[in-house]
Amino acid sequence: MTDRLYYHDSFLYDFDAEVRDVIDGPRPALVLDRSAFYPSSGGQVFDTGAITAGDAKLRITEVADLEDGRVVHYFEAEDASPHSFKPGTRVHGLIDPTRRRDHMQQHSGQHVLSAAFVRLFDLHTVSFHMADDYCSIDLDTPTLTKEQVEKAEHLANEIILENRPVDIRFVTRDEAGKLGLRKVPVAERDELRIIDIKDWDLSACGGTHVNQTGQIGCILLRKTEKVRQGWRVEFVAGQRAVSTARRDYAALTETAALFSAHIYDASQQARKSLDEIRSLRKQREQSLEELAAAQAAALLAETPETNGRKIVVRTFSDRELNFIKLLAQKLTRLSTNAIALLATTSPQPSLVFAQSPSGQSGQAFDMGALLKETMATLGGRGGGSKDMAQGGVATADGIDAALAAVAAKLA
Ligand SMILES: [Zn+2]
């Protein structure tokens, strides 16, 4: 078993040790007799850093726990200099202090926060997760209000501000039973490591924590969401809280600048703009409807009747498919014997074939079938019903000729 130096001192960033084993393979790793590197466990993620022997240096990219109690230090394969790190070699370990401090702030912040939820509302933490940019706890509760979240955040920050001592104690499982721990692990080990935040929280935990709650800095609660096992509360502590707030502020400032508004008025301005967009969209739809009706009337008036039919053939260069569909609808409803063969070349080359409702005109064609034939010659896709069909093609080339061919066939 590896002697875990971080059990006794979370602020130990460098240490001496001896190589016990070198694990070869796609992910080479070192096993030492003792280590201050924290391996991922209990929700807290691993430390990174370096292990050196003289001039040789291995960059440690991940640290993990083996079932037999050994800690393995994975290193960059390209750093491998096996002669320098044979079993028995004396080495020096260096832990990335910024990453470790961040983890201590998040993890200790979690203890303070979980205890706040218990003390205020008897809400118990069932799991803890530490991600790269935020952390979360899952609370065993069917409901969680905004007020509860704010109260817990406030109380947790009070405890941080009081700068309470955080002690590490080792007790037997029996002793632990009498202490009234917030959380007792299921592990079969008899000796338990207790993190004791003075007069606030007692938890069995193997993680790295601060010495005084003041070192957590502060805690900021963010998103809450309902999850299978209760409610998830996301939080950030210490420097992470500051960098998160900085990022939030930048996003909010950018948004507010778009509206030339103060950041606190940004949501109101956004809501106002959305209302305007909705209203303009409605007006636009109405205008297009009117335009289509007027255009349909004009087209019908200028189209001569041949063999009892008015065949309107028209290619537009700047209309959306929806508009030519609308126009086709108007044409075939304003007249009982109209056939509309319409196309648009941009933004998306498309065709619409329509005829006045079959029942009225007496001799009806099959627009769906005609369109499919045309698509076959133009190399596009489309289809529809007997009275209305639409399709899209890759380019506008050949559209006019195709429409003329269909018109000739129907005349
Ligand atoms: Zn802990």
Side-chain angles (χ1 to χ4, degrees), residues 42 44 107-108 110-111 128 182-183 193 195 203-209:
Q44 185 182 331
H107 195 152
S108 308
Q110 180 259 314
H111 283 233
F128 163 51
R182 179 170 56 76
K183 189 179 150 218
R193 181 174 181 259
I195 302 304
S203 291
C205 182
T208 53
H209 305 83

Side-chain angles (χ1 to χ4, degrees), residues 154-181:
H154 183 79
L155 182 57
N157 278 300
E158 288 285 322
I159 300 303
I160 290 170
L161 209 63
E162 287 169 11
N163 203 23
R164 298 191 186 204
V166 180
D167 290 321
I168 304 167
R169 288 157 57 185
F170 292 88
V171 299
T172 64
R173 196 164 270 273
D174 284 348
E175 286 168 330
K178 293 169 201 143
L179 288 173
L181 298 187

Side-chain angles (χ1 to χ4, degrees), residues 247-258:
R247 220 170 39 237
D248 291 353
Y249 180 74
L252 202 49
T253 304
E254 199 183 323
T255 309
L258 292 175

